[in-house]
Amino acid sequence: MTDSNTHHNAIIDSFDDRSVQARSLAYTENDPTTEFFYRPRTLTVLTIMLVGLVYVAMFPEADDMKTNIKFGTWAGTFSFLLFAMLQFRDGPFIRPHPAIWRVVLGLGVLYQMFLVFILFQNKRDARYIISCIDPSLGVPLPERSYAENCELTYDNVKNQLDIFVIYHIVGWYAKAVVLRDYWFCWILSIMFEVMEYSLQHQLNNFAECWWDHWILDVLICNWAGLYLGMKTCEYFEMKAYSWRGIKQINTLKGKVKRTVQQFTPHDWTKFEWGTTKSFKNYIAVIGLLFGFLQAELNSFYLKYLLWIPPDNPLNSYRATLLFMGSIPATREGYQYLTDK
């Protein structure tokens, strides 16, 4: 072993075993294929941002106030996310790149700030603010109930099948990938149906036929999403690619394969929540269960209170952000719970 390698290992050993900085440095040293993307580029990126802002400042101001507010908001958001990408701490993931997960954290901070702001508005003003984001919003939504004809017939079941069946399956697939535990997901599935029963006096679309609750939702959509999600977890658990196995890439095929691997997990942790192992684990699992159920309910109540129709892209953007943010958040929570 050369002196440089000995010095490098000494630096790595000086970090805590869980240090993301240590893992990122070692990853750079041992993976020449992606080494360029892991070198600091802070001054370069900031210079490009400043040049871009100066370029925009040279244009004459528009007379339309809404246009100015729109572009100013986007520019401020972009500047904050750029700062987050460069200065926020690393999370537990390094693929496709730690900077991507820093941007996800930055988007989460912005979304939280927006929710705090909305918290101090009444419904009328909140709906007006949302309509400024999307002019098609701000219109009362039509009420729909799924419990008008509950006779179990082919036609009735067929009438209940719409695009939300796909959304349902995809949503439970995402929960399975985040939680990585069959029992946890099944408890969550049953509890959400119980909440639909409890809150259907407030939200009409929670009123469903018994077979819609327990056959279409739980036994078909939920099971399909959970099954696919857990199979994905099992695949990554067995096939997770590791940079330690990559010594040298000399062929085009090898370089292409390594590039594809950059979009797969660097490693995979199987979650074993151990609900009954200790009181701490029990409280933590109950808290996580409550958090997921609350996030599910918020999706429906935000649409109901702010008049956002289900097919509006804002719902998809929010769901995607919650999914991307919950992946590292749940991983960090699990490590805090299990790593002594």
Side-chain angles (χ1 to χ4, degrees):
M1 182 178 293
T2 63
D3 292 339
S4 60
N5 286 336
T6 303
H7 176 67
H8 169 69
N9 290 336
I11 294 176
I12 297 300
D13 292 339
S14 66
F15 284 96
D16 182 86
D17 290 338
R18 292 173 293 173
S19 173
V20 178
Q21 288 83 357
R23 290 192 287 122
S24 298
L25 180 58
Y27 187 78
T28 302
E29 292 290 334
N30 290 275
D31 192 1
T33 307
T34 59
E35 180 179 353
F36 172 81
F37 298 101
Y38 284 83
R39 294 299 181 185
R41 298 287 187 270
T42 305
L43 294 179
T44 303
V45 174
L46 289 177
T47 300
I48 294 174
M49 184 191 74
L50 291 176
V51 170
L53 292 176
V54 171
Y55 176 78
V56 173
M58 296 301 172
F59 283 95
E61 297 181 0
D63 294 332
D64 186 11
M65 183 182 67
K66 290 185 177 181
T67 302
N68 291 334
I69 293 177
K70 178 180 178 180
F71 282 105
T73 301
W74 279 111
T77 301
F78 177 78
S79 299
F80 176 81
L81 293 179
L82 194 62
F83 174 83
M85 182 182 70
L86 297 175
Q87 300 299 328
F88 277 15
R89 69 175 180 86
D90 286 338
F93 301 141
I94 59 177
R95 286 185 178 176
H97 195 284
I100 293 178
W101 295 105
R102 295 186 212 125
V103 171
V104 171
L105 178 59
L107 287 170
V109 172
L110 287 175
Y111 180 64
Q112 181 184 5
M113 294 171 63
F114 176 75
L115 291 181
V116 172
F117 175 76
I118 289 292
L119 181 64
F120 291 89
Q121 315 303 315
N122 56 41
K123 290 190 295 184
R124 182 189 68 254
D125 294 339
R127 290 164 182 165
Y128 173 75
I129 293 172
I130 295 296
S131 67
C132 293
I133 300 175
D134 186 346
S136 66
L137 301 178
V139 180
L141 301 180
E143 300 286 350
R144 179 180 179 181
S145 173
Y146 292 88
E148 295 176 354
N149 189 354
C150 289
E151 185 179 357
L152 185 55
T153 64
Y154 173 79
D155 290 334
N156 288 340
V157 173
K158 182 180 178 181
N159 291 334
Q160 300 289 53
L161 300 179
D162 51 23
I163 189 62
F164 297 107
V165 172
I166 305 299
Y167 293 162
H168 210 127
I169 295 175
V170 172
W172 282 100
Y173 173 87
K175 295 182 186 71
V177 171
V178 171
L179 293 171
R180 309 179 194 179
D181 187 285
Y182 260 123
W183 287 105
F184 200 128
C185 291
W186 274 116
I187 293 172
L188 189 65
S189 173
I190 300 300
M191 284 301 302
F192 184 76
E193 299 302 322
V194 172
M195 286 199 309
E196 284 192 326
Y197 276 115
S198 304
L199 299 171
Q200 61 185 8
H201 63 283
Q202 292 184 347
L203 300 177
N204 287 339
N205 59 340
F206 274 4
E208 299 176 348
C209 300
W210 67 268
W211 45 264
D212 198 348
H213 278 293
W214 303 109
I215 298 180
L216 288 183
D217 286 353
V218 175
L219 296 181
I220 296 181
C221 295
N222 294 7
W223 177 84
L226 294 180
Y227 177 81
L228 294 174
M230 294 307 300
K231 285 299 180 181
T232 301
C233 294
E234 293 174 5
Y235 172 81
F236 282 134
E237 185 180 354
M238 293 188 300
K239 303 291 185 180
Y241 299 107
S242 174
W243 55 267
R244 296 180 182 89
I246 300 175
K247 300 300 182 182
Q248 189 173 6
I249 298 175
N250 296 321
T251 64
L252 177 61
K253 181 180 179 180
K255 292 181 179 180
V256 172
K257 182 178 180 180
R258 178 60 192 86
T259 302
V260 173
Q261 290 175 0
Q262 188 66 22
F263 295 91
T264 63
H266 174 268
D267 49 51
W268 190 263
T269 301
K270 181 180 180 180
F271 289 172
E272 296 178 357
W273 294 99
T275 309
T276 59
K277 286 185 177 180
S278 66
F279 183 71
K280 176 184 177 182
N281 285 35
Y282 177 77
I283 295 298
V285 170
I286 293 297
L288 187 60
L289 178 66
F290 175 82
F292 268 79
L293 290 175
Q294 186 66 52
E296 289 281 344
L297 280 180
N298 284 345
S299 300
F300 292 93
Y301 273 98
L302 286 175
K303 291 186 294 184
Y304 169 72
L305 295 174
L306 300 180
W307 294 345
I308 304 177
D311 57 349
N312 190 276
L314 288 178
N315 293 315
S316 300
Y317 300 154
R318 177 184 178 275
T320 303
L321 177 59
L322 289 181
F323 171 67
M324 295 297 293
S326 63
I327 297 176
T330 307
R331 174 64 178 83
E332 289 182 344
Y334 178 79
Q335 183 168 347
Y336 170 78
L337 187 65
T338 59
D339 192 338
K340 304 303 179 183

